[in-house]
Amino acid sequence: MLNKECICPRFEKSFMILGKKWSGLIIEVLLLEDRRFKDISEQIPGVSDRVLVERLKELEEEGIVLRTEHTDGPVKVIYSLTEKGRDLEKVMLEIQSWSDRWIHA
């Protein structure tokens, strides 16, 4: 068993952010295109609106997701990935590759 002091603090923080339920799926959906809240919700069955709001705020605070309010006409909020968030694309592709090989749903 690994001694906790052997784990890199940055690695640990990465898993604390990305390992939260729904966070990876939100990132995966936003890698495809920028979306409105309801569109993200529709793409991730099972996530409640309350939890989705919470995860989006957390990812925004971490600089992974950008929330943009468009006020020209009715207010429209669009969520997108920042450069930091887009940089996760390779990681997400590797996770998909691993899951294709080892996870049988």
Side-chain angles (χ1 to χ4, degrees), residues 3 13 25-26 28 37 41 43 54-55 59-60 64 68 71 74 76 82 85-86 88 93 96 100 103 105:
N3 182 342
K13 179 160 183 177
L25 297 178
I26 292 167
E28 184 71 13
F37 181 89
S41 180
Q43 290 292 311
E54 187 177 300
R55 290 298 174 271
L59 292 169
E60 186 179 4
I64 294 170
T68 307
T71 56
K76 185 165 114 176
T82 63
R86 291 224 159 267
L88 288 164
L93 288 171
Q96 182 64 60
D100 288 344
I103 304 299

Side-chain angles (χ1 to χ4, degrees), residues 10-49:
R10 290 185 300 254
F11 185 82
E12 183 178 4
K13 179 160 183 177
S14 297
F15 267 86
M16 296 297 285
I17 296 166
L18 301 175
K20 281 193 172 180
K21 189 170 184 178
W22 308 113
S23 293
L25 297 178
I26 292 167
I27 292 166
E28 184 71 13
V29 166
L30 291 176
L31 277 168
L32 299 173
E33 66 181 337
D34 301 349
R35 296 182 189 260
R36 296 176 73 168
F37 181 89
K38 75 173 193 66
D39 298 325
I40 298 169
S41 180
E42 288 171 0
Q43 290 292 311
I44 306 173
V47 66
S48 70
D49 286 351

